[in-house]
Amino acid sequence: MAVPIAVLDCDLLLYGRGHRTLDRFKLEDVTDEYLVSTYGFPRQFICYLVDLLGATLSRPTQRSRAISPETQILAALGFYTSGSFQTRMGDAIGISQASMSRCVANVTEALVERASQFIHFPKDEATVQTLKDDFYGLAGMPGVLGVVDCTHVAIKAPNAEDLSYVNRKGLHSLNCLMVCDSRGVLLSAETHWPGSLPDCTVLEQAALTSQFETDLHKDGWLLGDSSFLLRTWLMTPLHIPETPAEYRYNMAHSATHNVIERTFRTIRARFRCLDGSKGTLQYSPEKSSHIILACCVLHNISLQHGLDVWSAPATGHMEQSEEEYEQMESVDSEACRVRQELLLTHFS
Protein backbone atom coordinates (compact mmCIF):
# COMPACT_ATOMS: atom_id res chain seq x y z
CA MET A 1 0.00 0.00 0.00
CA ALA A 2 1.33 3.41 -0.92
CA VAL A 3 1.57 5.75 2.04
CA PRO A 4 1.98 9.51 1.43
CA ILE A 5 5.39 10.69 2.53
CA ALA A 6 6.32 14.19 3.61
CA VAL A 7 9.83 14.27 5.02
CA LEU A 8 10.09 16.48 8.10
CA ASP A 9 12.97 18.59 6.86
CA CYS A 10 10.91 19.61 3.80
CA ASP A 11 7.64 20.29 5.60
CA LEU A 12 8.44 23.86 6.50
CA LEU A 13 9.42 24.70 2.93
CA LEU A 14 6.37 23.00 1.45
CA TYR A 15 3.67 24.09 3.89
CA GLY A 16 4.97 27.13 5.74
CA ARG A 17 4.20 27.81 9.39
CA GLY A 18 0.45 27.54 9.36
CA HIS A 19 -0.01 24.08 10.89
CA ARG A 20 0.57 23.30 14.57
CA THR A 21 1.04 19.55 14.24
CA LEU A 22 2.02 17.16 11.48
CA ASP A 23 -0.30 14.22 10.84
CA ARG A 24 1.82 12.48 8.25
CA PHE A 25 0.30 9.07 8.83
CA LYS A 26 -3.29 8.05 9.52
CA LEU A 27 -4.03 4.79 11.31
CA GLU A 28 -7.33 4.49 9.49
CA ASP A 29 -5.53 4.50 6.14
CA VAL A 30 -3.74 1.19 6.69
CA THR A 31 -4.66 -2.35 7.68
CA ASP A 32 -4.01 -4.11 10.98
CA GLU A 33 -1.69 -6.46 9.13
CA TYR A 34 0.43 -3.53 7.99
CA LEU A 35 0.58 -2.07 11.51
CA VAL A 36 1.62 -5.39 13.04
CA SER A 37 4.24 -6.09 10.38
CA THR A 38 5.73 -2.58 10.51
CA TYR A 39 5.25 -1.49 14.14
CA GLY A 40 4.74 -4.79 15.95
CA PHE A 41 1.28 -4.08 17.35
CA PRO A 42 -2.35 -3.90 16.17
CA ARG A 43 -4.48 -0.77 15.85
CA GLN A 44 -6.32 -1.18 19.18
CA PHE A 45 -3.06 -1.34 21.10
CA ILE A 46 -1.64 1.72 19.33
CA CYS A 47 -4.83 3.71 19.94
CA TYR A 48 -4.61 2.81 23.64
CA LEU A 49 -1.06 4.19 23.77
CA VAL A 50 -2.19 7.39 22.06
CA ASP A 51 -4.87 7.84 24.74
CA LEU A 52 -2.42 6.96 27.52
CA LEU A 53 0.50 9.13 26.40
CA GLY A 54 -1.16 11.76 24.23
CA ALA A 55 -1.28 14.52 26.84
CA THR A 56 2.38 14.01 27.77
CA LEU A 57 3.55 13.92 24.17
CA SER A 58 1.59 17.09 23.34
CA ARG A 59 3.63 19.24 25.70
CA PRO A 60 3.98 22.87 24.60
CA THR A 61 6.75 23.32 22.06
CA GLN A 62 8.49 26.28 20.46
CA ARG A 63 8.57 24.42 17.17
CA SER A 64 5.96 25.55 14.67
CA ARG A 65 5.55 22.07 13.21
CA ALA A 66 5.21 19.74 16.20
CA ILE A 67 4.93 16.01 15.57
CA SER A 68 1.61 14.50 16.66
CA PRO A 69 1.52 11.99 19.55
CA GLU A 70 0.29 9.31 17.15
CA THR A 71 3.30 9.77 14.88
CA GLN A 72 5.71 9.85 17.83
CA ILE A 73 4.31 6.58 19.16
CA LEU A 74 4.54 4.89 15.78
CA ALA A 75 8.15 6.02 15.43
CA ALA A 76 9.05 4.66 18.87
CA LEU A 77 7.26 1.35 18.33
CA GLY A 78 9.03 1.01 15.01
CA PHE A 79 12.39 1.37 16.73
CA TYR A 80 11.57 -0.85 19.73
CA THR A 81 10.33 -3.71 17.55
CA SER A 82 12.91 -3.47 14.76
CA GLY A 83 15.96 -2.07 16.55
CA SER A 84 16.60 0.19 13.61
CA PHE A 85 16.54 3.91 12.77
CA GLN A 86 16.79 3.10 9.08
CA THR A 87 15.37 5.68 6.68
CA ARG A 88 12.62 3.32 5.52
CA MET A 89 11.07 3.36 9.01
CA GLY A 90 10.99 7.15 9.07
CA ASP A 91 9.77 7.24 5.48
CA ALA A 92 6.81 5.06 6.42
CA ILE A 93 5.46 7.83 8.66
CA GLY A 94 7.10 10.76 6.90
CA ILE A 95 9.79 11.95 9.34
CA SER A 96 13.56 12.18 9.24
CA GLN A 97 15.96 9.93 11.10
CA ALA A 98 16.79 12.76 13.53
CA SER A 99 13.10 13.20 14.29
CA MET A 100 12.77 9.44 14.76
CA SER A 101 15.42 9.68 17.48
CA ARG A 102 13.61 12.54 19.22
CA CYS A 103 10.31 10.64 19.07
CA VAL A 104 11.89 7.56 20.66
CA ALA A 105 13.30 9.72 23.46
CA ASN A 106 9.93 11.39 24.11
CA VAL A 107 7.92 8.17 24.13
CA THR A 108 10.53 6.35 26.21
CA GLU A 109 10.41 8.97 28.95
CA ALA A 110 6.61 9.01 28.88
CA LEU A 111 6.53 5.24 29.38
CA VAL A 112 9.19 5.32 32.11
CA GLU A 113 7.12 7.90 34.00
CA ARG A 114 4.30 5.33 34.08
CA ALA A 115 6.41 2.29 34.96
CA SER A 116 5.05 1.97 38.50
CA GLN A 117 1.51 2.00 37.12
CA PHE A 118 2.11 -1.13 35.08
CA ILE A 119 4.97 -2.94 36.86
CA HIS A 120 4.26 -3.74 40.50
CA PHE A 121 3.45 -6.53 42.93
CA PRO A 122 -0.21 -7.02 43.86
CA LYS A 123 -1.18 -5.62 47.24
CA ASP A 124 -4.61 -7.01 48.15
CA GLU A 125 -4.77 -10.47 49.72
CA ALA A 126 -7.13 -11.97 47.14
CA THR A 127 -4.83 -11.08 44.24
CA VAL A 128 -1.76 -12.33 46.12
CA GLN A 129 -3.50 -15.64 46.76
CA THR A 130 -4.43 -15.91 43.10
CA LEU A 131 -0.78 -15.28 42.26
CA LYS A 132 0.28 -18.18 44.48
CA ASP A 133 -2.45 -20.47 43.15
CA ASP A 134 -1.44 -19.82 39.56
CA PHE A 135 2.18 -20.67 40.31
CA TYR A 136 1.15 -23.79 42.24
CA GLY A 137 -0.79 -24.94 39.20
CA LEU A 138 2.38 -24.98 37.10
CA ALA A 139 4.40 -27.60 38.98
CA GLY A 140 3.13 -27.85 42.55
CA MET A 141 5.47 -25.30 44.12
CA PRO A 142 3.57 -23.55 46.96
CA GLY A 143 3.85 -19.99 48.24
CA VAL A 144 5.46 -18.51 45.13
CA LEU A 145 5.00 -14.75 44.70
CA GLY A 146 7.22 -14.46 41.62
CA VAL A 147 10.27 -15.85 39.81
CA VAL A 148 13.40 -13.71 39.63
CA ASP A 149 16.42 -13.67 37.35
CA CYS A 150 18.84 -11.36 35.56
CA THR A 151 19.42 -10.78 31.87
CA HIS A 152 22.10 -8.77 30.10
CA VAL A 153 21.40 -6.22 27.37
CA ALA A 154 24.35 -5.07 25.27
CA ILE A 155 25.09 -1.32 25.12
CA LYS A 156 27.78 0.79 23.49
CA ALA A 157 30.90 1.47 25.53
CA PRO A 158 30.07 4.53 27.67
CA ASN A 159 33.69 5.47 28.31
CA ALA A 160 37.00 3.87 27.43
CA GLU A 161 38.08 4.13 31.06
CA ASP A 162 34.81 2.92 32.56
CA LEU A 163 35.05 -0.86 33.05
CA SER A 164 32.01 -1.16 35.30
CA TYR A 165 29.80 -2.07 32.33
CA VAL A 166 32.13 -4.77 30.97
CA ASN A 167 30.70 -8.20 31.74
CA ARG A 168 32.54 -11.48 32.03
CA LYS A 169 32.39 -11.98 28.26
CA GLY A 170 34.22 -8.70 27.72
CA LEU A 171 31.10 -6.97 26.35
CA HIS A 172 29.50 -3.78 27.61
CA SER A 173 26.06 -4.45 29.03
CA LEU A 174 23.40 -3.62 31.57
CA ASN A 175 22.46 -6.38 34.00
CA CYS A 176 18.68 -6.23 34.40
CA LEU A 177 16.95 -7.79 37.41
CA MET A 178 13.33 -8.82 36.74
CA VAL A 179 10.51 -10.68 38.46
CA CYS A 180 7.45 -12.07 36.70
CA ASP A 181 4.26 -13.96 37.53
CA SER A 182 3.09 -17.26 36.05
CA ARG A 183 1.87 -15.56 32.83
CA GLY A 184 5.06 -13.59 32.30
CA VAL A 185 3.68 -10.28 33.60
CA LEU A 186 6.58 -8.32 35.08
CA LEU A 187 6.17 -7.50 38.76
CA SER A 188 9.55 -5.78 39.13
CA ALA A 189 12.17 -4.51 36.67
CA GLU A 190 15.46 -2.86 37.60
CA THR A 191 17.27 -2.20 34.34
CA HIS A 192 20.16 0.07 35.35
CA TRP A 193 22.76 -2.24 36.90
CA PRO A 194 26.27 -2.28 35.35
CA GLY A 195 27.12 -5.46 33.48
CA SER A 196 30.20 -6.16 35.59
CA LEU A 197 28.05 -6.90 38.65
CA PRO A 198 27.21 -10.58 39.20
CA ASP A 199 23.56 -11.48 39.70
CA CYS A 200 23.92 -12.07 43.44
CA THR A 201 25.44 -8.60 43.94
CA VAL A 202 22.70 -6.97 41.88
CA LEU A 203 20.07 -8.60 44.09
CA GLU A 204 21.89 -7.60 47.29
CA GLN A 205 21.85 -3.94 46.23
CA ALA A 206 18.43 -3.94 44.55
CA ALA A 207 15.31 -2.17 45.72
CA LEU A 208 13.62 -5.57 45.39
CA THR A 209 15.54 -6.88 48.40
CA SER A 210 14.49 -3.93 50.55
CA GLN A 211 10.88 -4.46 49.49
CA PHE A 212 10.84 -8.10 50.49
CA GLU A 213 12.74 -7.64 53.72
CA THR A 214 10.44 -4.86 54.89
CA ASP A 215 7.03 -5.11 53.22
CA LEU A 216 6.25 -8.01 50.93
CA HIS A 217 7.46 -11.12 52.73
CA LYS A 218 4.19 -12.55 54.01
CA ASP A 219 3.96 -16.33 53.87
CA GLY A 220 5.54 -16.50 50.45
CA TRP A 221 8.77 -16.24 48.51
CA LEU A 222 10.40 -15.66 45.18
CA LEU A 223 12.15 -18.43 43.25
CA GLY A 224 15.69 -17.77 42.06
CA ASP A 225 18.33 -19.95 40.43
CA SER A 226 21.69 -21.00 41.84
CA SER A 227 23.30 -17.64 41.10
CA PHE A 228 21.47 -16.21 44.12
CA LEU A 229 21.83 -16.82 47.84
CA LEU A 230 19.07 -18.65 49.66
CA ARG A 231 16.97 -16.29 51.78
CA THR A 232 13.81 -16.66 53.81
CA TRP A 233 11.95 -14.94 50.96
CA LEU A 234 14.00 -16.43 48.10
CA MET A 235 14.02 -20.18 47.52
CA THR A 236 16.90 -21.56 45.44
CA PRO A 237 17.58 -25.10 44.17
CA LEU A 238 19.48 -27.61 46.26
CA HIS A 239 23.07 -27.91 45.05
CA ILE A 240 23.28 -31.70 45.38
CA PRO A 241 19.84 -33.28 45.88
CA GLU A 242 20.04 -36.63 47.64
CA THR A 243 16.55 -37.68 48.73
CA PRO A 244 13.42 -38.20 46.60
CA ALA A 245 11.89 -35.14 48.27
CA GLU A 246 14.88 -33.01 47.31
CA TYR A 247 14.70 -34.20 43.71
CA ARG A 248 10.97 -33.41 43.58
CA TYR A 249 11.65 -29.97 45.03
CA ASN A 250 14.35 -29.22 42.45
CA MET A 251 12.15 -30.42 39.59
CA ALA A 252 9.21 -28.28 40.72
CA HIS A 253 11.55 -25.33 41.24
CA SER A 254 13.06 -25.66 37.76
CA ALA A 255 9.70 -26.05 36.01
CA THR A 256 8.31 -22.99 37.78
CA HIS A 257 11.41 -20.83 37.36
CA ASN A 258 11.38 -21.55 33.63
CA VAL A 259 8.59 -18.98 33.29
CA ILE A 260 11.01 -16.08 33.49
CA GLU A 261 13.32 -17.60 30.90
CA ARG A 262 10.35 -17.79 28.54
CA THR A 263 9.46 -14.22 29.46
CA PHE A 264 12.96 -13.03 28.52
CA ARG A 265 12.64 -14.81 25.18
CA THR A 266 9.27 -13.18 24.57
CA ILE A 267 10.57 -9.70 25.37
CA ARG A 268 13.59 -9.96 23.11
CA ALA A 269 11.51 -11.49 20.30
CA ARG A 270 8.98 -8.66 20.49
CA PHE A 271 11.47 -5.84 21.07
CA ARG A 272 14.36 -6.46 18.72
CA CYS A 273 16.18 -3.33 19.87
CA LEU A 274 17.16 -5.43 22.92
CA ASP A 275 18.21 -8.70 21.32
CA GLY A 276 21.49 -7.57 19.78
CA SER A 277 20.61 -8.55 16.21
CA LYS A 278 20.86 -4.88 15.13
CA GLY A 279 23.89 -4.23 17.31
CA THR A 280 24.13 -2.76 20.77
CA LEU A 281 21.93 0.04 22.09
CA GLN A 282 23.71 3.20 20.93
CA TYR A 283 22.93 5.27 24.00
CA SER A 284 24.37 6.12 27.38
CA PRO A 285 23.75 3.57 30.14
CA GLU A 286 21.00 5.80 31.60
CA LYS A 287 19.14 6.19 28.31
CA SER A 288 19.62 2.51 27.47
CA SER A 289 18.19 1.60 30.87
CA HIS A 290 15.14 3.75 30.15
CA ILE A 291 14.61 2.11 26.76
CA ILE A 292 14.72 -1.34 28.37
CA LEU A 293 12.25 -0.24 31.05
CA ALA A 294 9.96 1.28 28.42
CA CYS A 295 9.91 -2.06 26.61
CA CYS A 296 9.06 -3.78 29.91
CA VAL A 297 6.10 -1.43 30.36
CA LEU A 298 4.94 -2.17 26.81
CA HIS A 299 5.34 -5.90 27.47
CA ASN A 300 2.95 -5.70 30.43
CA ILE A 301 0.48 -3.52 28.54
CA SER A 302 0.51 -6.02 25.67
CA LEU A 303 -0.38 -8.82 28.08
CA GLN A 304 -3.26 -6.72 29.41
CA HIS A 305 -4.49 -6.49 25.83
CA GLY A 306 -4.42 -10.22 25.29
CA LEU A 307 -1.20 -10.31 23.27
CA ASP A 308 0.10 -13.05 25.53
CA VAL A 309 1.08 -15.88 23.22
CA TRP A 310 4.52 -17.14 24.24
CA SER A 311 7.03 -16.32 21.56
CA ALA A 312 9.51 -18.80 20.17
CA PRO A 313 13.17 -18.33 21.10
CA ALA A 314 14.81 -15.55 19.08
CA THR A 315 18.37 -15.25 17.96
CA GLY A 316 20.42 -12.46 19.47
CA HIS A 317 22.48 -11.51 22.48
CA MET A 318 19.97 -10.67 25.20
CA GLU A 319 20.88 -13.57 27.43
CA GLN A 320 19.35 -14.95 30.58
CA SER A 321 22.72 -14.63 32.22
CA GLU A 322 26.23 -14.30 30.90
CA GLU A 323 28.02 -15.46 34.01
CA GLU A 324 29.18 -18.92 34.92
CA TYR A 325 27.21 -19.95 37.96
CA GLU A 326 29.00 -20.60 41.17
CA GLN A 327 26.82 -22.52 43.58
CA MET A 328 25.91 -20.07 46.31
CA GLU A 329 25.90 -21.52 49.80
CA SER A 330 23.68 -19.70 52.25
CA VAL A 331 24.84 -18.92 55.75
CA ASP A 332 21.32 -17.90 56.72
CA SER A 333 20.19 -20.63 59.10
CA GLU A 334 16.62 -19.33 59.13
CA ALA A 335 16.47 -19.50 55.33
CA CYS A 336 17.76 -23.10 55.44
CA ARG A 337 15.08 -23.93 57.99
CA VAL A 338 12.35 -22.43 55.80
CA ARG A 339 13.46 -24.45 52.79
CA GLN A 340 13.75 -27.64 54.83
CA GLU A 341 10.25 -27.12 56.20
CA LEU A 342 9.01 -26.61 52.63
CA LEU A 343 10.66 -29.90 51.63
CA LEU A 344 9.10 -31.81 54.51
CA THR A 345 5.65 -30.28 54.18
CA HIS A 346 5.14 -30.42 50.42
CA PHE A 347 7.66 -32.76 48.80
CA SER A 348 8.19 -35.67 51.22
Side-chain angles (χ1 to χ4, degrees), residues 70-97:
E70 182 178 285
T71 300
Q72 292 184 63
I73 288 168
L74 289 170
L77 291 179
F79 169 71
Y80 297 147
T81 58
S82 73
S84 174
F85 275 134
Q86 294 302 314
T87 302
R88 65 174 183 81
M89 181 62 68
D91 286 350
I93 49 178
I95 62 176
S96 67
Q97 186 169 327

Side-chain angles (χ1 to χ4, degrees), residues 19-228:
H19 299 280
R20 305 304 298 173
T21 62
L22 291 175
D23 296 314
R24 305 171 179 78
F25 183 98
K26 296 291 187 181
L27 287 177
E28 59 268 24
D29 291 340
V30 295
T31 65
D32 258 358
E33 290 75 13
Y34 175 82
L35 291 173
V36 171
S37 65
T38 307
Y39 305 104
F41 293 96
R43 187 185 321 275
Q44 183 181 11
F45 181 89
I46 295 170
C47 290
Y48 174 82
L49 291 182
V50 173
D51 290 339
L52 177 70
L53 306 178
T56 302
L57 297 176
S58 299
R59 290 167 177 160
T61 176
Q62 297 301 313
R63 299 175 62 208
S64 61
R65 307 274 305 156
I67 302 175
S68 69
E70 182 178 285
T71 300
Q72 292 184 63
I73 288 168
L74 289 170
L77 291 179
F79 169 71
Y80 297 147
T81 58
S82 73
S84 174
F85 275 134
Q86 294 302 314
T87 302
R88 65 174 183 81
M89 181 62 68
D91 286 350
I93 49 178
I95 62 176
S96 67
Q97 186 169 327
S99 293
M100 277 279 295
S101 182
R102 288 193 294 270
C103 290
V104 171
N106 292 341
V107 174
T108 295
E109 292 311 306
L111 288 168
V112 167
E113 288 174 3
R114 290 160 177 79
S116 61
Q117 177 183 344
F118 294 99
I119 303 175
H120 56 81
F121 284 91
K123 297 294 179 65
D124 63 282
E125 292 185 7
T127 307
V128 170
Q129 187 58 50
T130 299
L131 185 66
K132 294 179 183 178
D133 293 343
D134 289 344
F135 271 119
Y136 186 80
L138 293 179
M141 180 69 76
V144 180
L145 299 171
V147 289
V148 59
D149 209 344
C150 288
T151 188
H152 285 253
V153 177
I155 63 172
K156 74 172 184 178
N159 188 307
E161 298 178 357
D162 187 353
L163 300 180
S164 63
Y165 292 93
V166 179
N167 60 38
R168 289 180 60 168
K169 290 186 176 181
L171 305 174
H172 291 83
S173 68
L174 289 169
N175 195 1
C176 305
L177 179 73
M178 301 187 192
V179 180
C180 73
D181 71 7
S182 62
R183 286 201 310 124
V185 175
L186 294 173
L187 306 175
S188 178
E190 299 185 33
T191 60
H192 62 283
W193 297 101
S196 65
L197 294 181
D199 294 358
C200 60
T201 303
V202 169
L203 183 62
E204 286 175 6
Q205 300 178 10
L208 179 68
T209 294
S210 298
Q211 284 181 306
F212 267 80
E213 291 185 344
T214 57
D215 299 327
L216 293 177
H217 177 35
K218 297 178 180 178
D219 301 320
W221 36 72
L222 301 178
L223 296 187
D225 62 24
S226 298
S227 63
F228 298 115

Side-chain angles (χ1 to χ4, degrees), residues 237-251 327 343:
L238 289 142
H239 179 25
I240 304 177
E242 296 178 346
T243 68
E246 291 175 345
Y247 276 103
R248 285 192 288 269
Y249 167 85
N250 271 13
M251 290 178 64
Q327 296 294 331
L343 280 162

Side-chain angles (χ1 to χ4, degrees), residues 322-340:
E322 56 79 41
E323 58 189 73
E324 298 176 4
Y325 290 155
E326 296 179 3
Q327 296 294 331
M328 307 294 291
E329 295 296 335
S330 177
V331 295
D332 187 337
S333 59
E334 178 62 15
C336 293
R337 184 196 65 77
V338 170
R339 186 170 65 181
Q340 187 62 30

